Amino acid sequence: MGTERAWAYRVEEPHGSAGWRPLGGHSPRWRGRITTDTPRQGPEYVAALVLTDLVTEWRVNGIGEQHVRVIVWADEEGTGPDDGVFTVEIQPRVD
């Protein structure tokens, strides 16, 4: 009891020389908040939940792998990975 923790996350995609932008424009689908119940469910857990949902959607819709990153912040969304507590980036295979 009393171990709940709020996390904010945002999925971004590369946007050429402009850097990164939120995936899907400003769609609320790939940014939000997750509340976890135990200390073991930290920022890595939150990023894994988001990526699992994203990759599942790609597979269901027949979309190939994409280059994205997930940024996780404690409590409130920040501006970028520098003020986040965890960032993970996935890239499609280039064969």
Side-chain angles (χ1 to χ4, degrees), residues 9-75:
Y9 68 89
R10 183 172 67 225
V11 181
E12 297 180 331
E13 61 187 346
H15 189 59
S17 62
W20 294 82
R21 67 177 177 193
L23 181 64
H26 292 285
S27 168
R29 174 85 172 99
W30 298 115
R31 73 187 322 155
R33 296 175 53 81
I34 293 176
T35 301
T36 58
D37 295 329
T38 69
R40 292 181 130 177
Q41 296 172 329
E44 296 89 351
Y45 174 80
V46 171
L49 286 176
V50 172
L51 283 173
T52 299
D53 193 28
L54 181 60
V55 171
T56 299
E57 183 171 293
W58 289 345
R59 288 185 179 154
V60 166
N61 292 323
I63 298 171
E65 295 174 346
Q66 296 181 18
H67 186 179
V68 297
R69 72 179 178 190
V70 177
I71 307 168
V72 179
W73 296 272
D75 301 316

